């Protein structure tokens, strides 16, 4: 599995944002507007907290294992791999969702004088911030679980290039 690429995540965010902005404009021309649920930023924030807690737990356990502390609990490689896969999936979905709510939020900036739309714009903004937090937590988790490169890995990378 490859590393998360910020450019890919930003591309997903941007494409979803533009499509969402256009879709929101079209939907608004029909007289209604899809709502941004209050639960969106909350769910994204909970995912970010879970990813961060997992990364901090794994980091402390790996550090204790490296320092050979007595009674140190080892890290199961499959658990670490599952955590990284969860982080990757969460980052991709968060980029998509944050882009969707970002596009909707940009559209809603034109009508902040209407209280209901102002609330929707706040929810969309908080959803984008929470999505960025999920991405940051996923990247942190990936860095924690990254295996150190050995001398054999450098030669393999040079041969592939």
């Amino acid at each position: 599995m490859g590393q998360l690429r910020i450019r890919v995540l930003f591309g997903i965010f941007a494409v979803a944002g533009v499509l969402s902005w256009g879709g929101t404009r079209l939907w608004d021309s029909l007289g209604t507007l899809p709502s941004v649920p209050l639960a969106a930023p909350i769910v994204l924030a909970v995912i970010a907290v879970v990813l961060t807690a997992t990364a901090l737990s794994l980091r402390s356990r790996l550090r204790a294992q490296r320092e050979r502390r007595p009674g140190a609990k080892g890290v199961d490689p499959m658990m670490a791999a599952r955590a990284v896969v969860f982080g990757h999936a969460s980052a991709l979905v968060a980029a998509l969702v944050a882009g969707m709510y970002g596009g909707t939020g940009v559209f809603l900036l034109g009508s902040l004088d209407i209280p209901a739309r102002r609330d929707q714009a706040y929810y969309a903004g908080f959803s984008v911030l929470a999505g960025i937090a999920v991405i940051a937590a996923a990247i942190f988790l990936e860095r924690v679980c990254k295996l150190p490169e050995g001398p054999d890995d450098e030669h393999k990378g040079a041969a592939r290039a």
Side-chain angles (χ1 to χ4, degrees):
M1 175 177 3
Q3 286 184 321
L4 284 172
R5 304 249 188 250
I6 299 296
R7 287 182 296 197
V8 171
L9 295 173
F10 183 75
I12 292 170
F13 175 84
V15 168
V18 169
L19 291 175
S20 176
W21 175 78
T24 304
R25 281 190 62 184
L26 180 64
W27 202 318
D28 186 54
S29 69
L30 298 174
T32 62
L33 190 65
S35 65
V36 179
L38 174 61
I42 295 169
V43 169
L44 287 170
V46 167
I47 292 170
V49 167
V50 167
L51 287 172
T52 303
T54 303
L56 292 174
S57 172
L58 285 173
R59 185 176 71 169
S60 67
R61 289 172 61 186
L62 287 170
R63 183 178 296 144
Q65 191 175 5
R66 268 192 311 269
E67 295 171 357
R68 300 187 193 283
R69 292 183 196 154
K73 223 175 159 183
V75 175
D76 179 31
M78 284 305 292
M79 186 193 68
R82 287 183 190 119
V84 170
V85 169
F86 175 62
H88 274 244
S90 297
L92 292 170
V93 170
L96 180 67
V97 170
M100 287 173 34
Y101 288 133
T104 302
V106 167
F107 175 80
L108 290 171
L109 289 176
S111 56
L112 291 178
D113 53 333
I114 303 170
R117 289 198 174 187
R118 182 177 42 242
D119 291 343
Q120 295 294 306
Y122 289 148
Y123 300 157
F126 289 138
S127 295
V128 171
L129 292 175
I132 292 170
V134 169
I135 292 169
I139 290 171
F140 176 57
L141 175 63
E142 180 183 68
R143 299 299 186 260
V144 165
C145 293
K146 185 176 179 183
L147 293 173
E149 291 186 19
D152 294 339
D153 293 339
E154 293 173 11
H155 298 298
K156 287 179 185 174
R160 275 186 280 178

